[in-house]
Amino acid sequence: MRGFILLVLCLMMAFPVMAQTPPPEEPDYTINNLRNRFTPDGLAVVEFEVWNRGGAASLPATALLNILSTSEEVARATVAPLPAQAITTVALTFQTSAFPPDSVQTFRVAVGVDEVEASGSANIRSNFAPLTLSFPALAEGSPTPLPPPLPADNQDTGRTILNDLRQRIPINWNDPVQVIIAAVIALALLVGVVLIFIVLRLLFSRAPHFEVWQPPYANTLFVDPNSPAGRRAGWQLNAQNASLPATAPEGAWHIRKLPLGKTNDYLQGWRMTALRICQYDPYGRVNRSQVIATRRHVNRLNAARRGRAKHTPEQLSRQVRPIAHGLIGAFGKKVNERSSILPVAFDVQMTGKQSEVRIGFELYQRTQGVWVLADRWEPEMLIPGKQVEENFTYTLYGLRAGETFKTFRARFENDLTALLVELLNPPAAPVAPVPPPRTDAPTDPHLSAVII
């Protein structure tokens, strides 16, 4: 008795499981991409793809081509059982001589009717497809080859490629769930490609850097500071760039350095390697405000340097303004209204081959409102390698009194643009006015000399 009760209980537990098991999905054949062509030997070929959008089929199917008006069979082919979501190509061939030349006939293509799917099923309409053929005219009883097809326009070609692609992808485009899943997969693949590109770019791209610079003319032997060589060596370390101040008190001195080429041309043979802007205070540079230009901006400055002789200052200003705009954009993110009052240093590093470049120094004194050249020389340098390195430093104002942070950024960009133009074309030293020649007072040779 207990065994009978246990058997009944097991059967009762199995019934819900059997009731929840879905029935196997029926096959669903669909005709897609119906097309036709004529061969030179008088055959008509009708081709199409059969796509099983349902469950796997276990029986072969018959593909039929019938005349629509009379239901007369023209051609047939056998289609092997298709697995779920499988696609196969079917070709139906018949003689064109069975139809009058230069005539139009309408046919119907059917596949798997009453074999894979019953004629009264809900999806049976996709097993049929109409087809209209225009038969070519015959010349002297022999088939005439058709002319080559005219090239389709871009819209038809794109539509055909899209249809072929849709046929090759085993997705039921009428099912919104499958379409959403395909879209999510495509989006995930796109995100993966973008992430791989970013990782490779970070691995193989170098971050911009500004190397520590040591003047090649600083390590000179000890010389008497009161000698001309000693005074020159002392002035060399005070040279910051190639510019001359616009104003200065009478009698002031100023030293500048000029990176020259072998033919005494400014910046000939030199190449910019790094740009940097950074705030500074009495204790030194403020590293948190440091911004180093990207390689793209450095290359743009070198391009402007190569063509500076052929451009006016206005044209040079338009070429270098994107550099200033890029530096100010990054610099503005590292400073605020409180810290923007500090002055800003703009550094430029450049290099050249030892055999092609040289460095010159010029010492000026302010005399009668102009700078007068007092001395010019080339330093003694200790260069361990084949490259000569030089560094320029300029100073720009921070936030001025009465300026807002917005106007400060606009003014700072203009100042930096003008400074880049001055870097490429520094002002020439003005010529001091020549005093008029002295004329002695007329004397009488008969008078005695006067001793004072």
Side-chain angles (χ1 to χ4, degrees):
M1 186 66 181
R2 291 181 180 180
F4 178 75
I5 295 175
L6 290 176
L7 178 61
V8 171
L9 291 176
C10 291
L11 291 175
M12 292 177 64
M13 294 176 63
F15 285 152
V17 176
M18 295 176 59
Q20 294 177 5
T21 303
E25 188 178 0
E26 296 295 333
D28 182 12
Y29 281 15
T30 302
I31 297 175
N32 291 304
N33 197 18
L34 186 61
R35 57 199 180 273
N36 67 276
R37 57 187 174 87
F38 296 97
T39 63
D41 54 353
L43 293 178
V45 182
V46 177
E47 295 177 330
F48 56 92
E49 274 74 45
V50 178
W51 177 19
N52 184 8
R53 301 189 301 178
S58 59
L59 298 176
T62 303
L64 297 175
L65 180 66
N66 299 86
I67 302 176
L68 185 62
S69 59
T70 63
S71 300
E72 179 184 353
E73 181 180 327
V74 176
R76 68 166 50 203
T78 301
V79 181
L82 294 178
Q85 301 299 329
I87 298 175
T88 186
T89 302
V90 179
L92 300 175
T93 306
F94 63 94
Q95 292 287 340
T96 59
S97 58
F99 299 91
D102 201 15
S103 64
V104 178
Q105 296 290 338
T106 303
F107 301 87
R108 185 181 67 175
V109 181
V111 61
V113 180
D114 291 329
E115 296 173 337
V116 178
E117 299 178 62
S119 57
S121 63
N123 300 324
I124 196 62
R125 296 184 60 183
S126 61
N127 295 54
F128 296 94
L131 175 66
T132 302
L133 296 182
S134 298
F135 292 92
L138 299 178
E140 298 181 359
S142 60
T144 303
L146 292 176
L150 297 176
D153 55 6
N154 295 335
Q155 185 176 1
D156 294 340
T157 303
R159 187 182 297 111
T160 303
I161 295 175
L162 181 60
N163 291 335
D164 292 343
L165 182 62
R166 292 182 62 180
Q167 298 300 329
R168 293 179 182 274
I169 300 177
I171 297 176
N172 185 3
W173 298 98
N174 297 322
D175 187 355
V177 177
Q178 295 189 27
V179 173
I180 293 175
I181 294 175
V184 171
I185 294 175
L187 182 60
L189 291 176
L190 180 61
V191 172
V193 171
V194 173
L195 290 178
I196 292 174
F197 175 77
I198 294 175
V199 170
L200 292 178
R201 184 176 180 181
L202 292 176
L203 289 176
F204 295 101
S205 63
R206 296 181 299 175
H209 63 282
F210 199 92
E211 297 181 354
V212 178
W213 171 72
Q214 180 67 23
Y217 39 79
N219 300 322
T220 56
L221 297 177
F222 175 78
V223 292
D224 184 5
N226 294 319
S227 65
R231 287 192 292 270
R232 287 176 173 178
W235 275 112
Q236 287 171 179
L237 299 181
N238 294 297
Q240 298 295 315
N241 48 61
S243 299
L244 284 173
T247 59
E250 186 71 15
W253 293 88
H254 181 76
I255 180 73
R256 72 171 182 171
K257 51 186 174 182
L258 300 171
L260 306 172
K262 285 301 181 181
T263 58
N264 207 33
D265 292 333
Y266 178 73
L267 287 181
Q268 181 187 15
W270 292 87
R271 178 176 56 88
M272 313 297 176
T273 57
L275 306 175
R276 178 181 66 179
I277 56 176
C278 184
Q279 291 180 314
Y280 66 93
D281 55 17
Y283 302 98
R285 301 294 176 91
V286 182
N287 291 331
R288 66 174 180 270
S289 64
Q290 175 176 279
V291 173
I292 301 176
T294 62
R295 177 57 53 186
R296 179 170 59 90
H297 289 150
V298 176
N299 293 338
R300 182 186 287 269
L301 183 60
N302 281 313
R305 173 190 57 83
R306 289 189 293 268
R308 65 186 184 89
K310 298 180 290 186
H311 298 124
T312 62
E314 291 76 13
Q315 293 173 335
L316 284 178
S317 178
R318 288 194 295 269
Q319 288 184 350
V320 300
R321 180 168 289 276
I323 305 174
H325 183 76
L327 288 173
I328 297 305
F331 181 72
K333 299 177 182 178
K334 297 189 175 184
V335 298
N336 50 39
E337 295 187 11
R338 183 178 180 181
S339 64
S340 60
I341 61 175
L342 294 176
V344 181
F346 174 58
D347 300 312
V348 180
Q349 281 189 351
M350 59 189 76
T351 184
K353 293 183 179 180
Q354 181 180 359
S355 59
E356 298 178 359
V357 299
R358 58 192 183 90
I359 301 174
F361 289 90
E362 293 181 349
L363 180 63
Y364 292 87
Q365 186 180 23
R366 191 76 171 181
T367 304
Q368 298 182 11
V370 296
W371 292 107
V372 178
L373 181 64
D375 193 7
R376 179 188 290 123
W377 71 92
E378 293 186 18
E380 296 182 2
M381 295 187 293
L382 180 61
I383 305 174
K386 298 181 180 180
Q387 298 290 326
V388 181
E389 296 181 352
E390 186 53 88
N391 190 91
F392 275 14
T393 298
Y394 298 88
T395 300
L396 297 96
Y397 286 104
L399 183 69
R400 294 180 175 178
E403 276 187 335
T404 63
F405 192 67
K406 182 177 180 180
T407 57
F408 157 69
R409 293 187 60 175
R411 191 264 305 167
F412 194 81
E413 181 178 332
N414 294 332
D415 292 349
L416 186 56
T417 301
L419 203 60
L420 289 171
V421 175
E422 186 173 341
L423 167 66
L424 299 178
N425 278 332
V431 180
V434 179
R438 179 180 177 182
T439 58
D440 296 332
T443 58
D444 189 349
H446 300 289
L447 296 178
S448 300
V450 179
I451 300 176
I452 300 177

